[in-house]
Amino acid sequence: MTSTTANKKFIIGLIWLIIWQILAMLIKEEILLPSPLLVLEKFINLLGTKDFYISILSTSFKIILGFGLAILIALVFAYFSYKYQLFYEFIRPIILIFKSVPIASLTILLLFWIKSENLSVYVAFIMAMPIIYTNVYTGLISIDKKLIQMAEVYQITERKKLHYIYGIKVRPFLTSSIITVSGLVFKAGVAAEVIGLPANSIGKNLYNSKVYLDMPALMAWTLSILILSMGFEKLLRLVLGGNHD
């Protein structure tokens, strides 16, 4: 990122903060729209509490676990879908359902079957898996058939094909899908927690802020979600070598 781009983003962000402050001064109702300084003060106060870190770590661990499982299962499913048409047709309805079902409906349905403590793991998995699967499968079917035929002529093992052909060709598709979904899984996971209300979670703290009409706390917790989501995405971009904004 160039210094010019960074300066431009800083100025735009500052303008929006000023607009926010002006609106807060006009409304003069903390319960409707607290000022940026009040939200920042609440956020700093949260940073000084033990419960804040317990909630952050608990929610983050579960969401990242679900995300990791989604990547693993998506890779396996995409490979078998590429190799076997019957398998592709068999799992296609599940992929379409996972893509289409609203988070709220999904969360309520899952609560009939699992404990609320594990809810964000399942929601993060269901949110991420079909998107990653679709991208990886698209990458696999885009591989030049002549390249595969040549590998078969020279009797290259499936293991070497996975590494030298499939892995190299599919990596851009996999990387882009992981980075794209990384921010969404945090939002989906926390949204599920707001419904399931597991103990020691960001979602439960958001819900409590709403119950007690504590708008500064609600926005401070929202700020923490944004930081987590953006930080996780930036980390993945750094590790996977994705393009930086």
Side-chain angles (χ1 to χ4, degrees), residues 5 20 31 45 67 79-80 86 89 96 117 123 133 139 158 186 204 206 212-213 219 227 230 233:
T5 303
W20 178 3
I31 196 173
N45 290 337
F67 188 44
Y79 175 74
F80 280 103
L86 181 60
E89 296 293 342
L96 291 175
E117 285 77 12
V123 170
Y133 162 85
E158 195 67 19
F186 268 93
K204 187 167 185 178
L206 281 172
Y212 296 114
L213 302 178
M219 297 190 75
I227 293 172
M230 293 171 64
E233 182 178 334

Side-chain angles (χ1 to χ4, degrees), residues 128-175:
M129 195 278 283
I131 297 174
I132 297 172
Y133 162 85
T134 302
N135 271 39
V136 172
Y137 179 74
T138 301
L140 286 170
I141 62 176
S142 69
I143 296 174
D144 191 342
K145 300 297 182 184
K146 293 180 180 178
L147 190 62
I148 303 299
Q149 291 171 357
M150 183 181 70
E152 290 174 351
V153 168
Y154 286 97
Q155 297 182 339
I156 295 174
T157 63
E158 195 67 19
R159 183 177 178 181
K160 288 185 176 180
K161 286 182 193 175
L162 282 171
H163 182 70
Y164 294 106
I165 299 177
Y166 301 139
I168 293 173
K169 295 293 184 180
V170 166
R171 182 173 178 178
F173 294 87
L174 176 63
T175 299

Side-chain angles (χ1 to χ4, degrees), residues 223-244:
L223 177 60
S224 71
I225 298 167
L226 289 174
I227 293 172
L228 280 173
S229 176
M230 293 171 64
F232 186 52
E233 182 178 334
K234 292 289 184 183
L235 178 62
L236 287 175
R237 286 182 183 275
L238 183 64
V239 172
L240 298 175
N243 293 329
H244 294 270

Side-chain angles (χ1 to χ4, degrees), residues 68-221:
L69 290 172
I71 295 171
L72 179 62
I73 298 299
L75 285 170
V76 173
F77 280 10
Y79 175 74
F80 280 103
S81 294
Y82 171 72
K83 298 293 287 186
Y84 308 105
Q85 181 66 25
L86 181 60
F87 185 83
Y88 169 78
E89 296 293 342
F90 179 72
I91 68 164
R92 190 162 178 260
I94 296 297
I95 299 297
L96 291 175
I97 289 171
F98 280 6
K99 279 184 176 181
S100 305
V101 175
I103 293 175
S105 300
L106 174 65
T107 301
I108 295 170
L109 179 64
L110 286 172
L111 283 172
F112 280 94
W113 295 89
I114 65 173
K115 294 180 179 179
S116 62
E117 285 77 12
N118 302 321
L119 190 59
S120 51
V121 177
Y122 288 88
V123 170
F125 172 84
I126 293 172
M127 179 75 185
M129 195 278 283
I131 297 174
I132 297 172
Y133 162 85
T134 302
N135 271 39
V136 172
Y137 179 74
T138 301
L140 286 170
I141 62 176
S142 69
I143 296 174
D144 191 342
K145 300 297 182 184
K146 293 180 180 178
L147 190 62
I148 303 299
Q149 291 171 357
M150 183 181 70
E152 290 174 351
V153 168
Y154 286 97
Q155 297 182 339
I156 295 174
T157 63
E158 195 67 19
R159 183 177 178 181
K160 288 185 176 180
K161 286 182 193 175
L162 282 171
H163 182 70
Y164 294 106
I165 299 177
Y166 301 139
I168 293 173
K169 295 293 184 180
V170 166
R171 182 173 178 178
F173 294 87
L174 176 63
T175 299
S176 64
S177 62
I178 288 175
I179 292 173
T180 299
V181 177
S182 61
L184 297 177
V185 291
F186 268 93
K187 297 166 190 173
V190 172
E193 288 181 344
V194 172
I195 298 174
L197 301 178
N200 301 318
S201 66
I202 296 176
K204 187 167 185 178
N205 282 287
L206 281 172
Y207 181 81
N208 289 339
S209 299
K210 175 228 172 193
V211 169
Y212 296 114
L213 302 178
D214 190 351
M215 182 62 79
L218 178 63
M219 297 190 75
W221 278 106

